Amino acid sequence: MYTIGEFSKIGGVSTKTLRYYDEMNILKPAYVNNENQYRYYSQEQVLEILFIIELKEYGLTLDEIKKVLEDKNIYFLQNILEEKLQEINKQLEEKIKMQSRIERKIKKMKIGGKIMESYKTLAVQLKDRAPMTIISQRTITDVQQIDDLICNLYKSIERMNLKPSGPVMSIYHDKEFDPESTDLEVCIPVNKNLAVKNSRELAGGLHACTTFIGPYSRFGEAYAKVIKWIQDNGYQIAGAPFDIYIVGPDSTDNSDEYVTEICFPVKLV
């Protein structure tokens, strides 16, 4: 038998953590002395604590680890690990894209680029957009999850045997933007008038629009340009702005080549 101090060294965790594992019914001591409440662990539990540490390194939550230990279901663990692997692959892809962006930035600076420079001249146009039927999904979410929302929306359209009639869009309903908790609606235009749960008509009318070429992280420049044009030309914002992703990550790995139309519904003051 091992004391809790000895077992903490074996597992490479604190005694406080071992007590917490006991409370959570993740790993209980093999024996507790009734007189002094000292905890003791068995030789068989050495593999258990090492397995728990291994699973934590893989990114499993304590609830997931508890279920793995309780059920000892190899398929459950396999599914979780496959999900973790998908997350890692996605993170690696994002890191590679970021690496490319940094390399391009360094290259521009080496040939005389400025530390901060404006993107290409942005022209704002007043458009009278026609109403359109869209399939949409609206939720409060972190903007980093937009790719997952778009993917799920495309799956919904496939299940309904519909075809998109235009690029995917995102509508921002918040008056004040919070990237970690934003009222976001992703939508895809379709060529049918539908009476289904996720369909609605996106209103037409006057919109101040600009086409931005570059990474999504630089959208602020385009938004500022459109808002200034609205103020300077006697209009006011009349609804939630939206982005139309004409060229995106599904078409190119170079974020400098992304093409997005940014639109604000407007009306005369």
Side-chain angles (χ1 to χ4, degrees):
M1 301 289 281
Y2 303 100
T3 65
I4 190 171
E6 293 169 336
F7 200 67
S8 71
K9 293 178 182 178
I10 291 169
V13 297
S14 67
T15 56
K16 180 180 179 181
T17 297
L18 288 174
R19 292 187 180 95
Y20 183 65
Y21 288 170
D22 183 6
E23 294 174 8
M24 293 288 293
N25 293 317
I26 293 173
L27 180 63
K28 302 190 76 65
Y31 169 72
V32 178
N33 188 306
N34 289 330
E35 294 181 1
N36 53 30
Q37 298 301 306
Y38 286 176
R39 295 169 168 86
Y40 295 90
Y41 295 82
S42 68
Q43 175 65 35
E44 290 76 16
Q45 290 180 300
V46 170
L47 283 181
E48 288 188 55
I49 186 62
L50 296 179
F51 183 53
I52 291 171
I53 301 307
E54 179 185 2
L55 295 181
K56 284 189 68 178
E57 290 174 348
Y58 293 156
L60 272 71
T61 65
L62 289 181
D63 286 338
E64 290 171 336
I65 292 172
K66 183 178 179 181
K67 186 169 180 59
V68 169
L69 294 173
E70 288 175 348
D71 296 351
K72 294 183 172 58
N73 187 324
I74 192 170
Y75 299 107
F76 175 75
L77 177 57
Q78 181 178 318
N79 289 335
I80 289 180
L81 294 179
E82 287 175 348
E83 289 175 0
K84 299 297 179 185
L85 195 58
Q86 290 176 0
E87 292 175 8
I88 291 171
N89 287 333
K90 185 176 181 180
Q91 291 169 0
L92 288 173
E93 290 176 1
E94 292 172 353
K95 291 293 184 183
I96 291 171
K97 289 179 181 179
M98 180 60 69
Q99 180 185 24
S100 297
R101 286 187 60 195
I102 292 173
E103 289 172 346
R104 289 193 294 271
K105 182 71 172 180
I106 292 172
K107 186 177 180 180
K108 287 180 180 178
M109 289 191 291
K110 284 183 176 179
I111 60 175
K114 300 177 181 178
I115 293 178
M116 291 184 292
E117 56 184 358
S118 175
Y119 267 66
K120 299 172 184 177
T121 303
L122 294 167
V124 178
Q125 293 180 313
L126 186 65
K127 294 185 177 182
D128 191 359
R129 296 181 59 88
M132 64 174 68
T133 301
I134 59 173
I135 303 294
S136 71
Q137 180 179 351
R138 182 174 174 177
T139 186
I140 307 295
T141 186
D142 188 317
V143 291
Q144 298 297 326
Q145 303 301 317
I146 189 170
D147 287 345
D148 294 334
L149 294 175
I150 291 172
C151 182
N152 291 335
L153 194 57
Y154 270 114
K155 290 178 180 177
S156 296
I157 286 181
E158 288 178 4
R159 287 194 294 267
M160 289 184 282
N161 294 318
L162 296 172
K163 291 184 178 180
S165 61
V168 65
M169 308 161 61
S170 62
I171 305 172
Y172 298 91
H173 293 279
D174 284 321
K175 291 183 178 179
E176 296 182 1
F177 183 66
D178 180 354
E180 295 181 355
S181 179
T182 187
D183 188 352
L184 175 67
E185 182 180 11
V186 294
C187 51
I188 298 174
V190 292
N191 53 10
K192 289 184 179 181
N193 291 321
L194 301 169
V196 295
K197 181 179 179 181
N198 293 332
S199 71
R200 72 176 182 90
E201 182 179 90
L202 181 63
L206 292 178
H207 291 72
C209 307
T210 190
T211 299
F212 181 78
I213 301 175
Y216 300 144
S217 60
R218 294 296 300 267
F219 271 10
E221 190 173 343
Y223 273 73
K225 186 79 172 183
V226 177
I227 292 171
K228 187 175 188 304
W229 184 95
I230 293 170
Q231 295 170 345
D232 292 347
N233 288 273
Y235 289 89
Q236 65 182 28
I237 298 171
F242 54 89
D243 304 331
I244 305 173
Y245 305 107
I246 299 169
V247 176
D250 56 333
S251 303
T252 177
D253 291 331
N254 185 352
S255 61
D256 287 337
E257 297 175 352
Y258 292 172
V259 180
T260 310
E261 186 175 13
I262 294 167
C263 301
F264 280 70
V266 295
K267 63 182 180 181
L268 286 169
V269 176

PDB file of all heavy atoms in Angstrom, residues 74-101:
ATOM      1  N   ILE A  74     -14.290   0.530 -24.616  1.00  0.00           N
ATOM      2  CA  ILE A  74     -13.203   0.909 -25.509  1.00  0.00           C
ATOM      3  C   ILE A  74     -13.694   1.753 -26.678  1.00  0.00           C
ATOM      4  O   ILE A  74     -12.998   2.636 -27.169  1.00  0.00           O
ATOM      5  CB  ILE A  74     -12.448  -0.350 -26.014  1.00  0.00           C
ATOM      6  CG1 ILE A  74     -11.146   0.074 -26.701  1.00  0.00           C
ATOM      7  CG2 ILE A  74     -13.336  -1.178 -26.932  1.00  0.00           C
ATOM      8  CD1 ILE A  74     -10.229  -1.080 -27.020  1.00  0.00           C
ATOM      9  N   TYR A  75     -14.946   1.525 -27.117  1.00  0.00           N
ATOM     10  CA  TYR A  75     -15.483   2.278 -28.255  1.00  0.00           C
ATOM     11  C   TYR A  75     -15.798   3.713 -27.856  1.00  0.00           C
ATOM     12  O   TYR A  75     -15.641   4.637 -28.660  1.00  0.00           O
ATOM     13  CB  TYR A  75     -16.725   1.579 -28.812  1.00  0.00           C
ATOM     14  CG  TYR A  75     -16.431   0.184 -29.324  1.00  0.00           C
ATOM     15  CD1 TYR A  75     -16.852  -0.939 -28.632  1.00  0.00           C
ATOM     16  CD2 TYR A  75     -15.697   0.000 -30.496  1.00  0.00           C
ATOM     17  CE1 TYR A  75     -16.561  -2.222 -29.092  1.00  0.00           C
ATOM     18  CE2 TYR A  75     -15.406  -1.277 -30.967  1.00  0.00           C
ATOM     19  CZ  TYR A  75     -15.839  -2.383 -30.260  1.00  0.00           C
ATOM     20  OH  TYR A  75     -15.541  -3.634 -30.712  1.00  0.00           O
ATOM     21  N   PHE A  76     -16.250   3.896 -26.622  1.00  0.00           N
ATOM     22  CA  PHE A  76     -16.500   5.249 -26.121  1.00  0.00           C
ATOM     23  C   PHE A  76     -15.205   6.048 -26.101  1.00  0.00           C
ATOM     24  O   PHE A  76     -15.159   7.194 -26.566  1.00  0.00           O
ATOM     25  CB  PHE A  76     -17.106   5.183 -24.716  1.00  0.00           C
ATOM     26  CG  PHE A  76     -17.291   6.532 -24.058  1.00  0.00           C
ATOM     27  CD1 PHE A  76     -18.311   7.373 -24.462  1.00  0.00           C
ATOM     28  CD2 PHE A  76     -16.437   6.950 -23.051  1.00  0.00           C
ATOM     29  CE1 PHE A  76     -18.485   8.618 -23.863  1.00  0.00           C
ATOM     30  CE2 PHE A  76     -16.599   8.189 -22.451  1.00  0.00           C
ATOM     31  CZ  PHE A  76     -17.628   9.013 -22.853  1.00  0.00           C
ATOM     32  N   LEU A  77     -14.143   5.442 -25.581  1.00  0.00           N
ATOM     33  CA  LEU A  77     -12.844   6.110 -25.537  1.00  0.00           C
ATOM     34  C   LEU A  77     -12.325   6.367 -26.949  1.00  0.00           C
ATOM     35  O   LEU A  77     -11.776   7.426 -27.243  1.00  0.00           O
ATOM     36  CB  LEU A  77     -11.843   5.274 -24.742  1.00  0.00           C
ATOM     37  CG  LEU A  77     -10.411   5.830 -24.674  1.00  0.00           C
ATOM     38  CD1 LEU A  77     -10.400   7.233 -24.088  1.00  0.00           C
ATOM     39  CD2 LEU A  77      -9.509   4.896 -23.865  1.00  0.00           C
ATOM     40  N   GLN A  78     -12.499   5.406 -27.814  1.00  0.00           N
ATOM     41  CA  GLN A  78     -12.034   5.562 -29.190  1.00  0.00           C
ATOM     42  C   GLN A  78     -12.718   6.742 -29.870  1.00  0.00           C
ATOM     43  O   GLN A  78     -12.068   7.538 -30.552  1.00  0.00           O
ATOM     44  CB  GLN A  78     -12.313   4.280 -29.981  1.00  0.00           C
ATOM     45  CG  GLN A  78     -11.847   4.315 -31.434  1.00  0.00           C
ATOM     46  CD  GLN A  78     -12.122   2.995 -32.145  1.00  0.00           C
ATOM     47  OE1 GLN A  78     -11.918   1.936 -31.580  1.00  0.00           O
ATOM     48  NE2 GLN A  78     -12.584   3.087 -33.374  1.00  0.00           N
ATOM     49  N   ASN A  79     -14.030   6.884 -29.668  1.00  0.00           N
ATOM     50  CA  ASN A  79     -14.774   7.996 -30.269  1.00  0.00           C
ATOM     51  C   ASN A  79     -14.293   9.340 -29.734  1.00  0.00           C
ATOM     52  O   ASN A  79     -14.146  10.311 -30.487  1.00  0.00           O
ATOM     53  CB  ASN A  79     -16.270   7.837 -30.017  1.00  0.00           C
ATOM     54  CG  ASN A  79     -16.878   6.699 -30.822  1.00  0.00           C
ATOM     55  OD1 ASN A  79     -16.356   6.325 -31.870  1.00  0.00           O
ATOM     56  ND2 ASN A  79     -17.976   6.150 -30.334  1.00  0.00           N
ATOM     57  N   ILE A  80     -14.049   9.394 -28.419  1.00  0.00           N
ATOM     58  CA  ILE A  80     -13.576  10.638 -27.818  1.00  0.00           C
ATOM     59  C   ILE A  80     -12.210  11.010 -28.383  1.00  0.00           C
ATOM     60  O   ILE A  80     -11.960  12.170 -28.752  1.00  0.00           O
ATOM     61  CB  ILE A  80     -13.499  10.512 -26.282  1.00  0.00           C
ATOM     62  CG1 ILE A  80     -14.894  10.470 -25.679  1.00  0.00           C
ATOM     63  CG2 ILE A  80     -12.714  11.688 -25.690  1.00  0.00           C
ATOM     64  CD1 ILE A  80     -14.898  10.336 -24.172  1.00  0.00           C
ATOM     65  N   LEU A  81     -11.312  10.030 -28.482  1.00  0.00           N
ATOM     66  CA  LEU A  81      -9.972  10.305 -28.981  1.00  0.00           C
ATOM     67  C   LEU A  81      -9.995  10.732 -30.450  1.00  0.00           C
ATOM     68  O   LEU A  81      -9.204  11.583 -30.871  1.00  0.00           O
ATOM     69  CB  LEU A  81      -9.075   9.080 -28.794  1.00  0.00           C
ATOM     70  CG  LEU A  81      -8.774   8.697 -27.337  1.00  0.00           C
ATOM     71  CD1 LEU A  81      -7.891   7.461 -27.283  1.00  0.00           C
ATOM     72  CD2 LEU A  81      -8.093   9.855 -26.609  1.00  0.00           C
ATOM     73  N   GLU A  82     -10.902  10.159 -31.213  1.00  0.00           N
ATOM     74  CA  GLU A  82     -11.033  10.568 -32.618  1.00  0.00           C
ATOM     75  C   GLU A  82     -11.501  12.012 -32.715  1.00  0.00           C
ATOM     76  O   GLU A  82     -11.046  12.770 -33.581  1.00  0.00           O
ATOM     77  CB  GLU A  82     -11.989   9.626 -33.351  1.00  0.00           C
ATOM     78  CG  GLU A  82     -11.389   8.243 -33.618  1.00  0.00           C
ATOM     79  CD  GLU A  82     -12.382   7.285 -34.237  1.00  0.00           C
ATOM     80  OE1 GLU A  82     -13.587   7.606 -34.253  1.00  0.00           O
ATOM     81  OE2 GLU A  82     -11.954   6.210 -34.700  1.00  0.00           O
ATOM     82  N   GLU A  83     -12.413  12.408 -31.805  1.00  0.00           N
ATOM     83  CA  GLU A  83     -12.877  13.798 -31.781  1.00  0.00           C
ATOM     84  C   GLU A  83     -11.733  14.739 -31.403  1.00  0.00           C
ATOM     85  O   GLU A  83     -11.580  15.818 -31.991  1.00  0.00           O
ATOM     86  CB  GLU A  83     -14.031  13.952 -30.790  1.00  0.00           C
ATOM     87  CG  GLU A  83     -15.332  13.291 -31.246  1.00  0.00           C
ATOM     88  CD  GLU A  83     -16.415  13.373 -30.187  1.00  0.00           C
ATOM     89  OE1 GLU A  83     -16.143  13.952 -29.102  1.00  0.00           O
ATOM     90  OE2 GLU A  83     -17.523  12.856 -30.422  1.00  0.00           O
ATOM     91  N   LYS A  84     -10.921  14.326 -30.423  1.00  0.00           N
ATOM     92  CA  LYS A  84      -9.775  15.137 -30.014  1.00  0.00           C
ATOM     93  C   LYS A  84      -8.791  15.277 -31.169  1.00  0.00           C
ATOM     94  O   LYS A  84      -8.202  16.349 -31.384  1.00  0.00           O
ATOM     95  CB  LYS A  84      -9.070  14.517 -28.807  1.00  0.00           C
ATOM     96  CG  LYS A  84      -9.924  14.384 -27.563  1.00  0.00           C
ATOM     97  CD  LYS A  84     -10.384  15.725 -27.037  1.00  0.00           C
ATOM     98  CE  LYS A  84     -11.264  15.565 -25.801  1.00  0.00           C
ATOM     99  NZ  LYS A  84     -11.816  16.854 -25.328  1.00  0.00           N
ATOM    100  N   LEU A  85      -8.605  14.196 -31.922  1.00  0.00           N
ATOM    101  CA  LEU A  85      -7.696  14.228 -33.060  1.00  0.00           C
ATOM    102  C   LEU A  85      -8.187  15.195 -34.125  1.00  0.00           C
ATOM    103  O   LEU A  85      -7.398  15.937 -34.728  1.00  0.00           O
ATOM    104  CB  LEU A  85      -7.558  12.818 -33.647  1.00  0.00           C
ATOM    105  CG  LEU A  85      -6.400  12.579 -34.618  1.00  0.00           C
ATOM    106  CD1 LEU A  85      -5.069  12.902 -33.963  1.00  0.00           C
ATOM    107  CD2 LEU A  85      -6.405  11.143 -35.119  1.00  0.00           C
ATOM    108  N   GLN A  86      -9.503  15.224 -34.350  1.00  0.00           N
ATOM    109  CA  GLN A  86     -10.073  16.169 -35.310  1.00  0.00           C
ATOM    110  C   GLN A  86      -9.833  17.609 -34.858  1.00  0.00           C
ATOM    111  O   GLN A  86      -9.518  18.486 -35.670  1.00  0.00           O
ATOM    112  CB  GLN A  86     -11.572  15.908 -35.480  1.00  0.00           C
ATOM    113  CG  GLN A  86     -11.897  14.610 -36.221  1.00  0.00           C
ATOM    114  CD  GLN A  86     -13.394  14.347 -36.282  1.00  0.00           C
ATOM    115  OE1 GLN A  86     -14.202  15.126 -35.778  1.00  0.00           O
ATOM    116  NE2 GLN A  86     -13.767  13.241 -36.888  1.00  0.00           N
ATOM    117  N   GLU A  87      -9.978  17.849 -33.550  1.00  0.00           N
ATOM    118  CA  GLU A  87      -9.735  19.183 -33.014  1.00  0.00           C
ATOM    119  C   GLU A  87      -8.281  19.593 -33.223  1.00  0.00           C
ATOM    120  O   GLU A  87      -7.995  20.735 -33.606  1.00  0.00           O
ATOM    121  CB  GLU A  87     -10.069  19.216 -31.517  1.00  0.00           C
ATOM    122  CG  GLU A  87     -11.551  19.069 -31.202  1.00  0.00           C
ATOM    123  CD  GLU A  87     -11.810  18.983 -29.709  1.00  0.00           C
ATOM    124  OE1 GLU A  87     -10.853  19.198 -28.930  1.00  0.00           O
ATOM    125  OE2 GLU A  87     -12.956  18.708 -29.316  1.00  0.00           O
ATOM    126  N   ILE A  88      -7.363  18.656 -32.983  1.00  0.00           N
ATOM    127  CA  ILE A  88      -5.936  18.942 -33.156  1.00  0.00           C
ATOM    128  C   ILE A  88      -5.629  19.245 -34.617  1.00  0.00           C
ATOM    129  O   ILE A  88      -4.890  20.186 -34.933  1.00  0.00           O
ATOM    130  CB  ILE A  88      -5.086  17.753 -32.659  1.00  0.00           C
ATOM    131  CG1 ILE A  88      -5.195  17.635 -31.129  1.00  0.00           C
ATOM    132  CG2 ILE A  88      -3.622  17.921 -33.071  1.00  0.00           C
ATOM    133  CD1 ILE A  88      -4.576  16.379 -30.565  1.00  0.00           C
ATOM    134  N   ASN A  89      -6.196  18.443 -35.522  1.00  0.00           N
ATOM    135  CA  ASN A  89      -5.954  18.662 -36.953  1.00  0.00           C
ATOM    136  C   ASN A  89      -6.464  20.032 -37.387  1.00  0.00           C
ATOM    137  O   ASN A  89      -5.827  20.717 -38.194  1.00  0.00           O
ATOM    138  CB  ASN A  89      -6.626  17.564 -37.779  1.00  0.00           C
ATOM    139  CG  ASN A  89      -5.902  16.231 -37.670  1.00  0.00           C
ATOM    140  OD1 ASN A  89      -4.693  16.197 -37.424  1.00  0.00           O
ATOM    141  ND2 ASN A  89      -6.626  15.141 -37.837  1.00  0.00           N
ATOM    142  N   LYS A  90      -7.615  20.431 -36.837  1.00  0.00           N
ATOM    143  CA  LYS A  90      -8.166  21.747 -37.167  1.00  0.00           C
ATOM    144  C   LYS A  90      -7.247  22.852 -36.648  1.00  0.00           C
ATOM    145  O   LYS A  90      -6.999  23.849 -37.346  1.00  0.00           O
ATOM    146  CB  LYS A  90      -9.565  21.892 -36.563  1.00  0.00           C
ATOM    147  CG  LYS A  90     -10.269  23.176 -36.936  1.00  0.00           C
ATOM    148  CD  LYS A  90     -11.685  23.216 -36.388  1.00  0.00           C
ATOM    149  CE  LYS A  90     -12.394  24.512 -36.784  1.00  0.00           C
ATOM    150  NZ  LYS A  90     -13.777  24.570 -36.255  1.00  0.00           N
ATOM    151  N   GLN A  91      -6.730  22.664 -35.432  1.00  0.00           N
ATOM    152  CA  GLN A  91      -5.822  23.652 -34.863  1.00  0.00           C
ATOM    153  C   GLN A  91      -4.533  23.743 -35.669  1.00  0.00           C
ATOM    154  O   GLN A  91      -3.992  24.836 -35.884  1.00  0.00           O
ATOM    155  CB  GLN A  91      -5.504  23.294 -33.408  1.00  0.00           C
ATOM    156  CG  GLN A  91      -6.680  23.449 -32.472  1.00  0.00           C
ATOM    157  CD  GLN A  91      -6.426  22.846 -31.100  1.00  0.00           C
ATOM    158  OE1 GLN A  91      -5.345  22.302 -30.829  1.00  0.00           O
ATOM    159  NE2 GLN A  91      -7.411  22.929 -30.217  1.00  0.00           N
ATOM    160  N   LEU A  92      -4.048  22.588 -36.140  1.00  0.00           N
ATOM    161  CA  LEU A  92      -2.832  22.579 -36.957  1.00  0.00           C
ATOM    162  C   LEU A  92      -3.051  23.325 -38.268  1.00  0.00           C
ATOM    163  O   LEU A  92      -2.182  24.074 -38.718  1.00  0.00           O
ATOM    164  CB  LEU A  92      -2.394  21.138 -37.237  1.00  0.00           C
ATOM    165  CG  LEU A  92      -1.795  20.363 -36.061  1.00  0.00           C
ATOM    166  CD1 LEU A  92      -1.563  18.910 -36.445  1.00  0.00           C
ATOM    167  CD2 LEU A  92      -0.479  21.005 -35.612  1.00  0.00           C
ATOM    168  N   GLU A  93      -4.216  23.114 -38.879  1.00  0.00           N
ATOM    169  CA  GLU A  93      -4.533  23.821 -40.122  1.00  0.00           C
ATOM    170  C   GLU A  93      -4.552  25.325 -39.894  1.00  0.00           C
ATOM    171  O   GLU A  93      -4.044  26.095 -40.718  1.00  0.00           O
ATOM    172  CB  GLU A  93      -5.890  23.351 -40.656  1.00  0.00           C
ATOM    173  CG  GLU A  93      -5.887  21.922 -41.193  1.00  0.00           C
ATOM    174  CD  GLU A  93      -7.275  21.472 -41.614  1.00  0.00           C
ATOM    175  OE1 GLU A  93      -8.212  22.292 -41.505  1.00  0.00           O
ATOM    176  OE2 GLU A  93      -7.423  20.313 -42.035  1.00  0.00           O
ATOM    177  N   GLU A  94      -5.140  25.740 -38.774  1.00  0.00           N
ATOM    178  CA  GLU A  94      -5.201  27.167 -38.465  1.00  0.00           C
ATOM    179  C   GLU A  94      -3.805  27.729 -38.213  1.00  0.00           C
ATOM    180  O   GLU A  94      -3.494  28.857 -38.629  1.00  0.00           O
ATOM    181  CB  GLU A  94      -6.092  27.399 -37.249  1.00  0.00           C
ATOM    182  CG  GLU A  94      -7.572  27.103 -37.522  1.00  0.00           C
ATOM    183  CD  GLU A  94      -8.414  27.142 -36.265  1.00  0.00           C
ATOM    184  OE1 GLU A  94      -7.835  27.258 -35.157  1.00  0.00           O
ATOM    185  OE2 GLU A  94      -9.653  27.068 -36.382  1.00  0.00           O
ATOM    186  N   LYS A  95      -2.944  26.951 -37.548  1.00  0.00           N
ATOM    187  CA  LYS A  95      -1.571  27.389 -37.294  1.00  0.00           C
ATOM    188  C   LYS A  95      -0.793  27.526 -38.598  1.00  0.00           C
ATOM    189  O   LYS A  95      -0.003  28.472 -38.776  1.00  0.00           O
ATOM    190  CB  LYS A  95      -0.864  26.391 -36.366  1.00  0.00           C
ATOM    191  CG  LYS A  95      -1.386  26.359 -34.947  1.00  0.00           C
ATOM    192  CD  LYS A  95      -1.087  27.650 -34.211  1.00  0.00           C
ATOM    193  CE  LYS A  95      -1.527  27.566 -32.757  1.00  0.00           C
ATOM    194  NZ  LYS A  95      -1.300  28.853 -32.035  1.00  0.00           N
ATOM    195  N   ILE A  96      -1.001  26.588 -39.516  1.00  0.00           N
ATOM    196  CA  ILE A  96      -0.314  26.644 -40.812  1.00  0.00           C
ATOM    197  C   ILE A  96      -0.759  27.877 -41.591  1.00  0.00           C
ATOM    198  O   ILE A  96       0.058  28.561 -42.222  1.00  0.00           O
ATOM    199  CB  ILE A  96      -0.579  25.348 -41.617  1.00  0.00           C
ATOM    200  CG1 ILE A  96       0.138  24.162 -40.947  1.00  0.00           C
ATOM    201  CG2 ILE A  96      -0.111  25.498 -43.061  1.00  0.00           C
ATOM    202  CD1 ILE A  96      -0.224  22.821 -41.533  1.00  0.00           C
ATOM    203  N   LYS A  97      -2.068  28.175 -41.554  1.00  0.00           N
ATOM    204  CA  LYS A  97      -2.572  29.371 -42.225  1.00  0.00           C
ATOM    205  C   LYS A  97      -1.978  30.630 -41.599  1.00  0.00           C
ATOM    206  O   LYS A  97      -1.605  31.572 -42.304  1.00  0.00           O
ATOM    207  CB  LYS A  97      -4.099  29.410 -42.152  1.00  0.00           C
ATOM    208  CG  LYS A  97      -4.789  28.365 -43.017  1.00  0.00           C
ATOM    209  CD  LYS A  97      -6.304  28.452 -42.885  1.00  0.00           C
ATOM    210  CE  LYS A  97      -6.989  27.395 -43.735  1.00  0.00           C
ATOM    211  NZ  LYS A  97      -8.469  27.447 -43.589  1.00  0.00           N
ATOM    212  N   MET A  98      -1.896  30.643 -40.271  1.00  0.00           N
ATOM    213  CA  MET A  98      -1.311  31.790 -39.588  1.00  0.00           C
ATOM    214  C   MET A  98       0.163  31.932 -39.941  1.00  0.00           C
ATOM    215  O   MET A  98       0.676  33.043 -40.145  1.00  0.00           O
ATOM    216  CB  MET A  98      -1.479  31.634 -38.067  1.00  0.00           C
ATOM    217  CG  MET A  98      -0.903  32.797 -37.260  1.00  0.00           C
ATOM    218  SD  MET A  98      -1.687  34.384 -37.661  1.00  0.00           S
ATOM    219  CE  MET A  98      -3.327  34.107 -36.987  1.00  0.00           C
ATOM    220  N   GLN A  99       0.870  30.809 -40.044  1.00  0.00           N
ATOM    221  CA  GLN A  99       2.273  30.837 -40.441  1.00  0.00           C
ATOM    222  C   GLN A  99       2.439  31.493 -41.816  1.00  0.00           C
ATOM    223  O   GLN A  99       3.321  32.324 -42.023  1.00  0.00           O
ATOM    224  CB  GLN A  99       2.836  29.414 -40.471  1.00  0.00           C
ATOM    225  CG  GLN A  99       4.312  29.352 -40.872  1.00  0.00           C
ATOM    226  CD  GLN A  99       4.799  27.922 -41.014  1.00  0.00           C
ATOM    227  OE1 GLN A  99       4.028  27.009 -41.255  1.00  0.00           O
ATOM    228  NE2 GLN A  99       6.097  27.728 -40.855  1.00  0.00           N
ATOM    229  N   SER A 100       1.557  31.131 -42.746  1.00  0.00           N
ATOM    230  CA  SER A 100       1.625  31.699 -44.095  1.00  0.00           C
ATOM    231  C   SER A 100       1.369  33.201 -44.067  1.00  0.00           C
ATOM    232  O   SER A 100       2.039  33.970 -44.770  1.00  0.00           O
ATOM    233  CB  SER A 100       0.602  31.009 -45.010  1.00  0.00           C
ATOM    234  OG  SER A 100       0.900  29.637 -45.156  1.00  0.00           O
ATOM    235  N   ARG A 101       0.398  33.631 -43.250  1.00  0.00           N
ATOM    236  CA  ARG A 101       0.094  35.058 -43.151  1.00  0.00           C
ATOM    237  C   ARG A 101       1.277  35.832 -42.590  1.00  0.00           C
ATOM    238  O   ARG A 101       1.620  36.915 -43.071  1.00  0.00           O
ATOM    239  CB  ARG A 101      -1.132  35.284 -42.269  1.00  0.00           C
ATOM    240  CG  ARG A 101      -2.463  34.908 -42.907  1.00  0.00           C
ATOM    241  CD  ARG A 101      -3.615  35.334 -42.036  1.00  0.00           C
ATOM    242  NE  ARG A 101      -3.609  36.772 -41.824  1.00  0.00           N
ATOM    243  CZ  ARG A 101      -4.323  37.375 -40.880  1.00  0.00           C
ATOM    244  NH1 ARG A 101      -5.070  36.669 -40.051  1.00  0.00           N
ATOM    245  NH2 ARG A 101      -4.290  38.691 -40.745  1.00  0.00           N
TER     246      ARG A 101
END
